[in-house]
Amino acid sequence: MKADLRIPLAVAAALILAAVVAFGAPHVVGDYFVRILLLIALNSILVLSLSLSNGFTGVFSLGHVGFIGAGAYAAGILSLTVQQKKALLPHLPDLLNWFSLPFLPATLAAGLFAAILAVIVGYPLMRLSGYFVSVATMGFLIIVNVVLINASDFTRGARTFTGVPLATSLPWVLGWLAVTLLVLSRLVYSPFGRRMKAVRDDTIAASAVGISVLRARLVAFVIGAFFAGVGGSLYAHYLGSFSPNTFYFAMTMNLIAMLVLGGMGSLSGAIIGVICVSILSEVLRSVERGFTIGDITVPALFGASQIVLGFLFILIMIFRPKGIMGDRELTFGLSGRSANHNQKEGKDR
Amino acid sequence: MSQLEYIIQQIINAVSLGSLYALVAVGLSIVFGVLKLTNFAHGDVMMVGAFTTVLLIGIGMPFAPAMLCGILASAVAGFLIERIAYRPIRNAPDVTRLLTSLAVTYILENLGILLFTSSPRNFPLPDILNTSWQLSGGAITFTNINVLTVALTFVSLIGLGWFITRTTIGLGMRAAAEDMQAAQLVGLNVNKVIIIAFIVASAYAGLAGVLWAAQAGVVQPQMGFTPLLKAFVAAIIGGFGSISGALLGGYMLGALEIFIVAFMPDVVVPYRDAIVFALLIAFLLFRPGGLMQPNREIKL
Amino acid sequence: MATADPLLRVDNLEVNFGAVRALKGVSLDVREGEVIALVGANGAGKSTTLRSISGLARAKSGTVTFAGTVINKRTAPQIVRLGIAHSPEGRRLFGGLSVAENLRLGACTRSDPDGVARDTEKMFVLFPILRERWKQLAGTLSGGEQQQLALARALMAAPRLLLLDEPSLGVAPLLVRHIFDALAELKRQGMTMLLVEQNIALALELADRAYVLRTGKVALSGIASELRVDDRVAQAYLGAAE
């Protein structure tokens, strides 16, 4: 179908742009903007991976950050040097302590690890609906947190996990973002993607026409978890050091805010949400530190930016619960029309 | 110390902890009953009550009236949350309402950080409540705050029992929890029922918040988070939306946690919370209506 | 046919459920003291008519006037206070509440405890089983007992107009007779009723007049005793199945 080709095409166009940005940006703008750009791209990967289950399949998981955390720790353990392992993780099992993986394989392994975890967790949990699946996945997140804190042979426990090589650069992140976007756009706008959306829109009707609800949800959950694990690895290699609470409710809330603001049923919406929230947070954060205009000194108000974001979030829930994009896609002017619009037109003809 | 004394001590601990869980879970269940809303902000309403109490004690008010004001402050907070955030989205899909309650949590916690910073503050408990009782030559100990917690839990729950069986609005709360439309058909003012349910639930949160902070000895903006999560588990084990279920679940969870800490091997103890939440998931999967509503179906 | 000022007047009522037009301009009136039957096949719009009178369903257009007041913009609780009680399809009792508590909630709009006590006694005369089951949870009653409780709960509001949706549904045949005897007694006492009923014979026996609904419209109306022998009633049923 022509309408379905437009999105990969749009993605390709965006990629060329991204490549130019990736390699050009550091020469043009300062470190600060490169850092923001990198965080936007990184968060885009995380929010996109979240959108697969929460947005497109209607399984509102609160446990997604558990996969990100699992990926971050898995990648961190794999890519520490052998000497670092001996110093920082002296009780690491022999199986893991004699080698060190480069960035890419460590990241792939992290994604795979998160995906396997998602199969195990998702197989029972994807049978639940509504907020029961939300509460159950939240339980999963808490369990991951408890395990990260207590499995100190692997994770150094509540202490900071350090020494991960700072390998995450803008080209790497944009590259992975491109892969994520390509895979997800192919998936979401495929027949299987339509099944996912059918499951979301009317679970009973979907199963009545022979769609396996469990299978659709599980596939979305597992693929989402894979990219969450990849994102976790990128995050780990960006931060270098982190602790179990890096991957907990604050991050959950942040990613959900980005997803919901952008629009839960739209890939471009997810990215738009990330951009909006990131820019807004940066602006608010600089205001929050306190500033002086003429004779007036505004004192630092820590927490104010989150309060503003929270209110914004509630306003969106009340007045625009579908977010900025809703179910529509931005197609970068290639078609000038939304994906849904195209599909509807196709039906009318 | 004999085996028996050890067990009695653990039972005392379990009843004390279970009372706190029950108080929080009852409030959650009241709100879930009438609105079918998992109210994450409930933990922050606890925080409001605890902070109000601490601040009032700080300016010289005695403990008892300060606690009453704290409970009142929580009730007002609950009222405002319902009016401002929840009422506009009352008929929205589950997920929208869940997210809104998360956003309210986010706002209140950060408001707490803004006003009081995130570092813990001392809870100035009067000496009389800190007095400890030693039985069997010190083998069994508990303090007056433990006694007060259990006593207030019992008194307030008897009060709640009276309210929901003897008053029209209390009956209306139970009726609305069962069938909102039928409640409207008999002429119940549903807005009034919901707002009263919120106020009652929030007052419970306030009471629980003060007692929780008093036992912990500190208050801080995120203090409501852990009890909230535990109370979720308690409420779901008991049967979400059922008040007696929340009670049962609260005490069972208290007993389970104390059992793990007191009788399980040391390697297991740090995983206590993981076990608790695994239990939650197991209940959601195999007995979603909890112990009190065995036939409820929420699965596909 | 309509004389001046009926107690209830439904005028050209249209109700949509999403894209489905459930009612396509229903008009009917109920005079004080009358029992009106509303009959028709499944999906003809009988329950929807009752639900839009009692405020559970919102009309797209048309009006509902009760005792001179236009009520179709009012909420269900307000309508109860005006004097319309609705015993809904499927009974919708509060199963976790006792018989006593259900009846108490039925009277929750009233502020005359003496009157409520008197009416409770009346319910015991009309439905003696309720006295026996007084402390029992409504959910544990049999179908027929539940139906009696549902009727009693609606009556406890001391309504001027009683809307009854399928009082014979899910009730053992022997008890159906009993329930309709109670309705006949209510009629004798002067209660105005609008009755939706699948069992046409029973409904037309009790009613003064009847309206036959077919796919969201009034197909036929008239004196109940005449409609009982009218072939067109049966045709309206069969026609709806097309």
Side-chain angles (χ1 to χ4, degrees):
Chain A
M1 240 171 103
K2 265 191 179 165
D4 289 348
L5 268 178
R6 285 196 177 112
I7 290 140
L9 268 176
V11 171
L15 288 183
I16 296 164
L17 188 73
V20 173
V21 171
F23 294 100
H27 304 291
V28 181
V29 294
D31 282 351
Y32 174 72
F33 287 98
V34 171
R35 189 176 65 79
I36 301 232
L37 217 55
L38 189 148
L39 277 177
I40 287 176
L42 183 45
N43 277 322
S44 295
I45 295 174
L46 300 180
V47 174
L48 282 169
S49 69
L50 178 67
S51 75
L52 207 50
S53 64
N54 292 34
F56 290 100
T57 324
V59 172
F60 206 92
S61 166
L62 292 177
H64 197 67
V65 169
F67 296 119
I68 299 173
Y73 271 89
I77 292 167
L78 291 174
S79 60
L80 284 187
T81 61
V82 176
Q83 292 91 322
Q84 280 173 318
K85 285 185 193 186
K86 287 212 173 88
L88 298 169
L89 302 168
H91 303 293
L92 199 65
D94 293 342
L95 190 68
L96 290 168
N97 73 0
W98 57 273
F99 67 94
S100 167
L101 285 186
F103 185 33
L104 183 62
T107 301
L108 284 170
L112 221 54
F113 177 64
I116 292 168
L117 200 58
V119 173
I120 298 166
V121 173
Y123 189 73
L125 291 196
M126 290 303 107
R127 287 155 217 272
L128 298 170
S129 294
Y131 32 57
F132 291 94
V133 76
S134 302
V135 173
T137 46
M138 184 188 80
F140 163 72
L141 175 61
I142 294 165
I143 292 172
V144 168
N145 185 257
V146 172
V147 170
L148 287 179
I149 288 174
N150 288 296
S152 44
D153 288 357
F154 295 86
T155 63
R156 290 173 55 79
R159 288 173 302 166
T160 309
F161 189 102
T162 58
V164 183
L166 298 173
T168 300
S169 61
L170 192 56
W172 270 116
V173 180
L174 286 173
W176 270 110
L177 175 59
V179 173
T180 312
L181 258 179
L182 265 174
V183 171
L184 295 200
S185 60
R186 289 303 291 265
L187 184 70
V188 165
Y189 296 99
S190 70
F192 187 79
R194 279 196 287 279
R195 285 206 283 275
M196 277 163 40
K197 283 176 265 186
V199 166
R200 173 192 66 190
D201 295 339
D202 191 337
T203 310
I204 295 164
S207 58
V209 298
I211 295 172
S212 164
V213 174
L214 180 62
R215 188 161 162 262
R217 286 177 172 180
L218 197 57
V219 168
F221 196 64
V222 170
I223 294 176
F226 174 81
F227 285 106
V230 166
S233 167
L234 297 178
Y235 213 77
H237 287 88
Y238 168 72
L239 293 174
S241 54
F242 44 86
S243 68
N245 285 343
T246 310
F247 307 99
Y248 210 30
F249 281 94
M251 185 186 251
T252 303
M253 198 57 213
N254 207 22
L255 295 181
I256 287 175
M258 291 170 173
L259 177 65
V260 171
L261 179 76
M264 292 216 283
S266 161
L267 297 174
S268 40
I271 296 174
I272 289 170
V274 173
I275 294 171
C276 290
V277 173
S278 302
I279 292 174
L280 195 65
S281 315
E282 281 305 315
V283 172
L284 288 171
R285 223 165 278 159
S286 59
V287 173
E288 186 181 74
R289 278 188 217 109
F291 53 89
T292 310
I293 304 169
D295 293 340
I296 308 154
T297 303
V298 178
L301 294 170
F302 293 108
S305 65
Q306 279 93 335
I307 295 171
V308 174
L309 276 179
F311 272 109
L312 182 72
F313 193 90
I314 291 183
L315 290 177
I316 291 166
M317 286 289 106
I318 295 173
F319 296 107
R320 203 179 167 90
K322 293 199 152 235
I324 294 172
M325 295 301 286
D327 286 341
R328 290 167 302 159
E329 287 290 359
L330 200 66
T331 46
F332 303 99
L334 272 177
S335 73
R337 279 173 271 174
S338 71
N340 260 13
H341 192 145
N342 283 327
Q343 282 169 8
K344 256 184 218 150
E345 254 190 6
K347 227 186 275 171
D348 290 343
R349 258 178 232 137
Chain B
M1 182 166 41
S2 78
Q3 195 70 27
L4 180 69
E5 283 160 340
Y6 185 68
I7 291 172
I8 291 174
Q9 176 70 59
Q10 299 314 323
I11 290 174
I12 290 172
N13 295 349
V15 170
S16 178
L17 183 64
S19 294
L20 286 172
Y21 287 159
L23 277 179
V24 187
V26 162
L28 272 181
S29 249
I30 289 174
V31 169
F32 186 82
V34 294
L35 274 187
K36 305 291 174 273
L37 170 79
T38 37
N39 183 20
F40 279 91
H42 198 74
D44 304 294
V45 175
M46 287 174 67
M47 179 265 289
V48 169
F51 262 102
T52 308
T53 306
V54 167
L55 292 179
L56 289 175
I57 293 175
I59 58 165
M61 196 185 266
F63 178 74
M67 178 166 91
L68 281 177
C69 291
I71 293 170
L72 199 69
S74 285
V76 171
F79 171 81
L80 291 175
I81 291 170
E82 200 279 331
R83 285 310 291 264
I84 295 169
Y86 292 160
R87 188 169 293 189
I89 47 112
R90 193 181 286 168
N91 299 314
D94 285 357
V95 167
T96 307
R97 301 181 320 141
L98 181 85
L99 291 177
T100 306
S101 90
L102 278 173
V104 173
T105 302
Y106 195 66
I107 291 172
L108 288 177
E109 258 170 38
N110 284 294
L111 203 60
I113 293 173
L114 186 70
L115 294 174
F116 308 113
T117 75
S118 55
S119 48
R121 292 182 179 212
N122 194 28
F123 190 103
L125 198 62
D127 289 340
I128 181 156
L129 289 176
N130 256 332
T131 313
S132 67
W133 297 82
Q134 316 251 334
L135 305 180
S136 272
I140 299 171
T141 42
F142 53 90
T143 57
N144 272 336
I145 186 68
N146 296 116
V147 179
L148 184 74
T149 301
V150 176
L152 283 178
T153 304
F154 274 77
V155 170
S156 66
L157 289 173
I158 288 167
L160 182 68
W162 174 84
F163 178 70
I164 62 169
T165 53
R166 295 283 178 268
T167 67
T168 305
I169 200 87
L171 285 174
M173 259 166 56
R174 285 160 66 205
E178 280 194 28
D179 188 338
M180 188 60 90
Q181 227 178 29
Q184 289 177 301
L185 266 191
V186 297
L188 271 174
N189 182 342
V190 172
N191 271 338
K192 192 167 142 193
V193 168
I194 290 174
I195 204 85
I196 300 256
F198 250 92
I199 289 171
V200 170
S202 301
Y204 268 93
L207 175 63
V210 175
L211 292 173
W212 186 284
Q215 291 215 357
V218 289
V219 286
Q220 54 142 328
Q222 291 107 328
M223 62 165 276
F225 191 61
T226 305
L228 173 86
L229 294 180
K230 297 296 179 66
F232 264 147
V233 181
I236 286 169
I237 290 176
F240 213 178
S242 150
I243 289 168
S244 44
L247 259 180
L248 181 70
Y251 281 104
M252 281 185 56
L253 185 62
L256 174 74
E257 290 200 352
I258 296 296
F259 176 81
I260 293 172
V261 173
F263 298 103
M264 296 294 269
D266 285 349
V267 277
V268 177
V269 173
Y271 289 94
R272 186 188 68 184
D273 287 358
I275 297 170
V276 166
F277 285 94
L279 184 73
L280 164 85
I281 292 173
F283 260 88
L284 287 173
L285 285 170
F286 301 113
R287 211 181 168 91
L291 296 168
M292 300 300 278
Q293 299 156 335
N295 296 323
R296 181 146 98 203
E297 257 317 307
I298 55 158
K299 279 202 278 180
L300 278 170
Chain C
M1 174 164 113
T3 54
D5 293 340
L7 183 61
L8 176 82
R9 162 163 281 164
V10 174
D11 204 20
N12 211 11
L13 202 62
E14 288 190 32
V15 176
N16 290 354
F17 292 136
V20 181
R21 285 176 73 199
L23 296 187
K24 307 168 188 166
V26 168
S27 299
L28 57 85
D29 52 50
V30 182
R31 290 188 289 266
E32 191 106 45
E34 262 189 330
V35 174
I36 304 296
L38 204 53
V39 295
N42 273 332
K46 298 167 305 201
S47 291
T48 307
T49 307
L50 291 196
R51 289 166 64 84
S52 37
I53 294 170
S54 66
L56 287 186
R58 284 272 160 255
K60 186 177 139 267
S61 65
T63 53
V64 180
T65 317
F66 177 72
T69 316
V70 176
I71 60 167
N72 47 313
K73 297 271 185 269
R74 306 276 180 118
T75 65
Q78 287 171 336
I79 290 170
V80 178
R81 276 164 210 276
L82 285 170
I84 299 179
H86 182 175
S87 170
E89 187 177 11
R91 304 185 282 266
R92 306 287 286 270
L93 293 170
F94 306 118
L97 274 62
S98 69
V99 169
E101 289 168 335
N102 269 279
L103 289 185
R104 181 160 169 200
L105 282 175
C108 72
T109 51
R110 296 171 66 179
S111 48
D112 55 331
D114 295 343
V116 172
R118 261 200 315 279
D119 281 352
T120 309
E121 286 303 318
K122 270 197 207 161
M123 292 308 126
F124 290 159
V125 176
L126 212 52
F127 307 111
I129 192 78
L130 296 183
R131 195 200 291 271
E132 279 172 45
R133 300 276 185 261
W134 192 237
K135 293 272 170 208
Q136 214 168 306
L137 295 185
T140 65
L141 303 182
S142 75
E145 289 165 351
Q146 287 194 11
Q147 188 57 59
Q148 295 180 50
L149 177 56
L151 286 174
R153 187 181 68 181
L155 286 167
M156 285 306 291
R160 290 177 67 190
L161 170 66
L162 183 60
L163 307 179
L164 295 171
D165 201 340
E166 303 277 9
S168 75
L169 198 74
V171 177
L174 218 70
L175 277 170
V176 170
R177 193 68 251 171
H178 180 70
I179 285 167
F180 271 80
D181 285 347
L183 294 180
E185 170 61 22
L186 282 171
K187 179 183 178 183
R188 205 184 53 75
Q189 292 171 10
M191 177 62 71
T192 314
M193 290 183 261
L194 180 55
L195 167 72
V196 162
E197 180 54 63
Q198 285 277 6
N199 186 333
I200 322 176
L202 271 177
L204 294 182
E205 193 185 311
L206 179 72
D208 301 305
R209 289 186 297 123
Y211 291 83
V212 181
L213 286 191
R214 183 175 156 186
T215 57
K217 274 185 269 195
V218 174
L220 198 61
S221 67
I223 309 290
S225 55
E226 290 171 6
L227 286 175
R228 254 194 291 186
V229 293
D230 193 327
D231 290 345
R232 288 176 299 167
V233 176
Q235 277 166 14
Y237 269 77
L238 295 173
E242 70 196 349

